[in-house]
Amino acid sequence: MRRRPRNRFGEIPNACRASYGSSVLVGRTEECERLEALLDSAREGRSGALLVLGDPGLGKTSLLEHLIGQANSMRVLQARGSEYESQLPFAGLHSLLRPLFSLIERIPVAQGRSLRAALALEGGEADRLSAYAGTLSLLAEAAEERPTLVLVDDIQWVDSASAEALLFAARRIAGEALALVFAGRLGQSQAFEASDLPRLDLGGAGRRERAG
């Protein structure tokens, strides 16, 4: 049998609520539990959103990978902000919602028309409020099929139109089986940091564990 790793004090390191053999994140127990609770709520039909902020090198990517691993029974929609596309309206939303394009026909007609125009799926000018409402409706349709995790990383590079649409949706989710997680660099994600979403600020890992 493979032996569990131990630290220099002979202790088994604290880890996320996952069995040995899966991803182990030393010193991030509370953060993992908060993220996992968001998934549990979504599976039970109670939506939630969370903003994860931290400086580079604090393990944000590992936390997000752990979250995806825990969402194995859910639909996962992912997007990553791009500095090169940060000035293209709705570029981030296009990347995120692409797997759901076939569901647009299920949302209200006016919302569908504006959302298609915003995502360059058809001609015409998008009414932004209708496109934002269409984003919410489309995510709700996805969650109606099965619980859904929406994960957007590097939010500091998400274009402003996509950020507004995502925040519009995040503030209005309620009874849908949706978990929305937005992650980015502390101090560089102005549109999201100015929002009223619950926040998880990442500090150095494992301080309490080392303190004993």
Side-chain angles (χ1 to χ4, degrees), residues 79-81 85 88-97 158-159 162 166:
R80 181 184 297 272
E85 296 183 353
L88 298 177
F90 295 106
L93 200 65
H94 186 283
S95 178
L96 180 71
L97 299 182
V158 172
D159 62 277
S162 295
L166 292 170

Side-chain angles (χ1 to χ4, degrees), residues 83-149:
E83 183 177 5
Y84 302 104
E85 296 183 353
S86 60
Q87 301 303 314
L88 298 177
F90 295 106
L93 200 65
H94 186 283
S95 178
L96 180 71
L97 299 182
R98 189 168 182 174
L100 304 182
F101 285 173
S102 63
L103 301 182
I104 295 180
E105 63 185 23
R106 300 185 188 178
I107 69 177
V109 174
Q111 295 179 14
R113 185 181 304 116
S114 288
L115 188 57
R116 287 191 185 93
L119 300 177
L121 300 178
E122 65 178 42
E125 185 173 349
D127 175 79
R128 286 211 171 188
L129 180 58
S130 291
Y132 298 168
T135 299
L136 174 60
S137 295
L138 189 59
L139 292 176
E141 284 293 335
E144 186 71 22
E145 292 186 342
R146 61 173 163 147
T148 298
L149 167 64

Side-chain angles (χ1 to χ4, degrees), residues 119-204:
L119 300 177
L121 300 178
E122 65 178 42
E125 185 173 349
D127 175 79
R128 286 211 171 188
L129 180 58
S130 291
Y132 298 168
T135 299
L136 174 60
S137 295
L138 189 59
L139 292 176
E141 284 293 335
E144 186 71 22
E145 292 186 342
R146 61 173 163 147
T148 298
L149 167 64
V150 176
L151 179 58
V152 183
D153 197 4
D154 285 338
I155 56 173
Q156 69 274 5
W157 299 124
V158 172
D159 62 277
S160 60
S162 295
E164 290 170 5
L166 292 170
L167 288 171
F168 180 95
R171 294 187 181 107
R172 288 162 177 80
I173 54 175
E176 300 83 9
L178 279 167
L180 276 62
V181 177
F182 308 121
R185 297 179 184 176
L186 190 65
Q188 297 184 29
S189 312
Q190 287 83 3
F192 285 87
E193 290 184 60
S195 77
D196 51 359
L197 299 184
R199 280 177 53 160
L200 175 59
D201 292 326
L202 300 182

